[in-house]
Amino acid sequence: MEKKFNEYYEFISKQLSPDVVQKIFSGFSKKRPTTFRLNLLKGDSDFLINELKKENINYKKSSYIPNSYFSYNLTEQHALRLDVVKKGYIYLQSFSSMVPAYLMDPHEDEKILDMTAAPGGKTTLMCSLSKNKAKIYANELDKIRYQRLLYNIETSGAKVECINKRGEILYKDYEDFFDKVLLDAPCSAEGRFQIKDEHSISAWSKKLVENSQSLQLKLVVSALRTLKKGGTFVYSTCTLNKKENEEIFQNLAEYFSIEDTDVHPLLNRLPNIQIEKLILNSRKISIYRLLPSEFFEGFTLAKVRKL
């Protein structure tokens, strides 16, 4: 796989600064712990922590994400056998994957769409943050992933309207309908690469990036058509290149007028954030790139308002 990493190094070095690329590859060499969050839909933090203590596992509280924890000696396979996971008291999820739900900032009675929702981590976290009072819709096309989404929603005690349709044409049923839309887009998954795991990069290619970009743009256009004027759109990928992030918004400017939103306080607490500023129709758009590190997978995010 050394050839693959060399190809990727050449690819990403043409887009990002040498300092950022160095940090990315340094992050690829880090061994990340198993991470999870408390599911406050199943009880308050005192109750959930007490249930967690019964499992006799070593874990520590994260200083980055509220109600989240990590463990270096707990594997995901072992964690899935724990009663606290089976009962939905905790949810296994990467810290990076939790961030988009916080950027969405879901409130009571808001109509919210999670456009590509499986396996449901972001969906159920938004339910938790709104105390199950937001009207959340979760869409997933793939039949197997859709069943997994249903299972996780039921286990978490979340109240969600589930949809099994193509995201690219979802606007036909929900034009100008939602107050907020989250699109965690299918991508080339560069943020999950690990030097010691050959499988992590085996599927990557420049062609995959191109195909991902094509689908992402279709999904983004559909997402913004489902969004009300003045509504909030959060875009995220577990990838790092500009083709699947900045270029998506540059293409988007041909179809929609959008503007930046205020920086969410959570972003100020996260390590290794690189910020790009795009100028679209004389408006600045912030692209937040979470570089891979000990606790975070690589992730890219943007939060904008539809004008």
Side-chain angles (χ1 to χ4, degrees), residues 8 48 55 96 98 122 126 182 205 230 268 270 278 306:
Y8 176 69
L48 296 171
E55 303 288 1
S96 297
M98 298 178 196
K122 300 173 187 67
M126 286 192 289
L182 168 62
S205 68
N268 294 325
L270 304 185
L278 289 178
K306 177 183 175 182

Side-chain angles (χ1 to χ4, degrees), residues 12 68 88-89 95 111 118 122 149 156 174 207 240 246 253 255 284 290-292:
I12 201 67
S68 64
Y89 294 158
F95 288 162
K111 288 186 288 189
K122 300 173 187 67
L149 172 66
S156 296
Y174 298 96
K207 184 65 176 177
L240 300 162
E246 280 88 342
Y255 305 94
K284 289 183 179 179
L290 307 185
L291 305 183

Side-chain angles (χ1 to χ4, degrees), residues 138-279:
N139 180 61
E140 177 58 45
L141 174 63
D142 183 89
K143 295 291 186 182
I144 295 177
R145 288 172 59 81
Y146 181 72
Q147 291 301 318
R148 185 65 184 174
L149 172 66
L150 294 177
Y151 173 82
N152 284 333
I153 286 171
E154 181 179 2
T155 303
S156 296
K159 295 179 180 179
V160 180
E161 180 76 26
C162 292
I163 309 167
N164 179 217
K165 295 185 177 181
R166 296 196 70 84
E168 305 98 304
I169 57 174
L170 202 60
Y171 68 89
K172 293 182 178 181
D173 295 320
Y174 298 96
E175 187 105 30
D176 300 322
F177 183 80
F178 295 104
D179 299 295
K180 296 177 179 178
V181 176
L182 168 62
L183 173 58
D184 184 51
C187 68
S188 60
E190 298 163 3
R192 297 176 179 171
F193 292 170
Q194 290 195 297
I195 298 292
K196 295 181 180 179
D197 180 5
E198 294 183 354
H199 180 71
S200 68
I201 197 174
S202 60
W204 183 87
S205 68
K206 293 179 184 178
K207 184 65 176 177
L208 175 60
V209 172
E210 293 174 5
N211 291 341
S212 297
Q213 184 193 56
S214 176
L215 174 59
Q216 289 155 0
L217 185 57
K218 293 174 185 176
L219 289 170
V220 169
V221 170
S222 180
L224 282 164
R225 290 188 67 172
T226 70
L227 189 64
K228 296 177 181 177
K229 293 179 182 178
T232 298
F233 175 55
V234 172
Y235 178 80
S236 64
T237 66
C238 59
T239 195
L240 300 162
N241 69 77
K242 291 189 175 184
K243 291 185 176 295
E244 297 179 69
N245 296 294
E246 280 88 342
E247 287 189 17
I248 294 296
F249 281 87
Q250 288 166 340
N251 288 319
L252 192 62
E254 300 178 19
Y255 305 94
F256 299 95
S257 181
I258 56 177
E259 67 178 1
D260 220 351
T261 60
D262 295 334
V263 177
H264 193 283
L266 180 70
L267 292 175
N268 294 325
R269 298 207 301 265
L270 304 185
N272 284 347
I273 285 191
Q274 182 247 0
I275 304 174
E276 295 270 353
K277 294 288 186 179
L278 289 178
I279 305 297

